[in-house]
Amino acid sequence: LTPLSASEDMRSTWQGKAGRSPLQALYESDQFEQSSLQTVHQQRREMLSNVCSRYTRKRRLLQPEDLRHLLVDDTHGLLYCYVPKVACTNWKRVMMVLTGQGKYRDPLEIPAHEAHVPSNLRTLSEYSVPEINYRLRSYLKFVFVREPFERLVSAYRNKFTLSYNTAFHKRYGTKIIRRHRQEPSERALERGDDVRFAEFVYYLLDPRTQQEEPFNEHWERVHSLCHPCVIHYDVVGKYETLAEDANYILQLVGADTSVKFPASSKTTRTTDGMTAQFFQDISPFYQRRLFNLYKMDYLLFNYSIPSYLRLR
């Protein structure tokens, strides 16, 4: 496959007819109220750009297969890079409402499993190279991020501590236990359903893990899933300000006012305090190594080093 052009096509933000970005065009029109949110998002884009220029010496050319996480809404001119464990089920539901030509009205009426059926939403990788470049240049691009270790603990809890996730237990749990538990029981080796967080950390840091295959998307770094130093996102939403950022994006693309991002009602959500508890049993040596593994996500999205880490 021909590499995507890394010149204007890949690096430009969304350009209007006069060379203005869509954000500028909207801000200059009467339909969009100037807000403090506008300033916040400008600062996030600048921060991202500064870190990218400091830490990425050589820009790699993206191949279409690198774009499998970018979901396309051709109706509203929208590209969304989904990151598992960052409200991606609800964003996929909203994208289905936006692209569904009236088939869906309320995101919450869409069952979670249906939101993850690949054929329900098109990814950018399915288009030809000229079509990909056109959309990267012309559409509003957004991504949602989360405090990296909070996201990691959320993925661990979801995939390894819930009894119904047998596919993950078999696929990853059995391998993790075989490699990182001394004298595992036959039952643990067969079922893989009692992986400890420390074992999961050892698995992530084991050089063999990434040599054998890429990380699963649930614990892959955001910069590897969404390539924010090559694709210039117009909006970087944060899990911590999910409702405001989601409404901001829907307003930016002129979505029907009846389309609402679902309010979060989960009481089981992974919090900072909960994340700290999981790290209590991880030695400072492994904490530092794990932090280094996720360091670029901390830097790119301006998250501070968690206070519970013992990195010294």
Side-chain angles (χ1 to χ4, degrees):
L1 288 164
T2 319
L4 303 177
S5 140
S7 59
E8 235 184 2
D9 285 343
M10 291 297 292
R11 294 181 192 171
S12 61
T13 51
W14 206 44
Q15 294 295 313
K17 280 183 183 162
R20 294 174 305 168
S21 77
L23 299 178
Q24 286 172 309
L26 274 163
Y27 296 154
E28 288 163 15
S29 73
D30 294 334
Q31 58 182 291
F32 199 83
E33 192 183 326
Q34 296 273 347
S35 68
S36 57
L37 258 182
Q38 180 188 330
T39 312
V40 166
H41 286 284
Q42 175 69 31
Q43 287 167 346
R44 286 181 191 171
R45 284 196 305 277
E46 287 173 0
M47 179 76 189
L48 185 56
S49 176
N50 291 340
V51 174
C52 285
S53 59
R54 269 214 334 266
Y55 288 91
T56 53
R57 296 280 170 271
K58 189 179 171 191
R59 287 177 186 270
R60 60 182 286 250
L61 289 183
L62 292 184
Q63 303 291 337
E65 61 266 27
D66 290 318
L67 307 173
R68 286 173 310 197
H69 272 249
L70 279 149
L71 302 177
V72 183
D73 172 6
D74 282 323
T75 312
H76 297 87
L78 196 57
L79 292 177
Y80 160 52
C81 189
Y82 73 91
V83 178
K85 308 312 299 173
V86 193
C88 85
T89 304
N90 278 342
W91 263 117
K92 286 179 177 181
R93 286 168 162 150
V94 170
M95 292 288 282
M96 284 171 71
V97 172
L98 292 174
T99 58
Q101 280 86 44
K103 183 180 172 186
Y104 309 98
R105 301 220 174 268
D106 179 0
L108 286 178
E109 285 175 4
I110 302 169
H113 66 86
E114 197 177 325
H116 296 292
V117 173
S119 58
N120 282 333
L121 291 164
R122 290 194 74 183
T123 70
L124 195 56
S125 59
E126 295 170 42
Y127 292 78
S128 69
V129 169
E131 289 173 327
I132 288 171
N133 279 325
Y134 169 75
R135 281 161 180 75
L136 284 170
R137 195 169 57 240
S138 314
Y139 284 15
L140 186 92
K141 302 173 289 293
F142 76 97
V143 60
F144 267 77
V145 300
R146 182 177 185 177
E147 202 287 326
F149 281 174
E150 197 178 289
R151 175 177 166 245
L152 187 68
V153 167
S154 178
Y156 164 77
R157 290 178 66 217
N158 182 261
K159 300 305 173 193
F160 295 109
T161 71
L162 300 178
S163 57
Y164 63 79
N165 264 324
T166 50
F168 269 80
H169 302 158
K170 287 279 188 193
R171 171 85 174 72
Y172 296 100
T174 52
K175 179 190 277 190
I176 291 170
I177 289 167
R178 189 172 68 249
R179 284 193 174 168
H180 301 290
R181 183 176 299 179
Q182 290 184 329
E183 300 177 17
S185 69
E186 285 299 319
R187 183 195 173 282
L189 285 170
E190 185 190 339
R191 299 181 63 155
D193 62 356
D194 66 343
V195 171
R196 298 163 197 146
F197 184 65
E199 293 167 340
F200 178 52
V201 169
Y202 302 150
Y203 163 77
L204 294 172
L205 295 172
D206 185 339
R208 292 172 292 183
T209 300
Q210 285 193 84
Q211 283 165 10
E212 289 168 357
E213 60 181 340
F215 274 167
N216 179 277
E217 61 177 17
H218 289 83
W219 46 85
E220 181 59 281
R221 285 71 52 97
V222 177
H223 72 88
S224 297
L225 292 175
C226 295
H227 315 288
C229 290
V230 187
I231 297 169
H232 284 220
Y233 288 94
D234 299 293
V235 181
V236 176
K238 292 204 168 185
Y239 193 72
E240 297 77 14
T241 50
L242 178 59
E244 306 97 286
D245 293 345
N247 291 333
Y248 176 73
I249 289 160
L250 293 172
Q251 191 182 353
L252 275 178
V253 295
D256 192 291
T257 51
S258 65
V259 181
K260 300 278 187 245
F261 191 84
S264 178
S265 59
K266 275 200 169 179
T267 49
T268 56
R269 145 174 140 67
T270 304
T271 60
D272 182 64
M274 198 183 289
T275 304
Q277 289 179 331
F278 277 89
F279 275 85
Q280 278 178 348
D281 298 331
I282 308 298
S283 73
F285 174 74
Y286 283 108
Q287 286 186 8
R288 174 165 282 291
R289 288 187 59 202
L290 194 69
F291 179 77
N292 287 339
L293 187 65
Y294 288 88
K295 186 176 180 179
M296 275 307 290
D297 280 0
Y298 274 97
L299 291 168
L300 288 166
F301 307 115
N302 200 22
Y303 284 106
S304 50
I305 299 173
S307 58
Y308 54 77
L309 290 187
R310 307 183 304 281
L311 298 183
R312 273 136 212 87

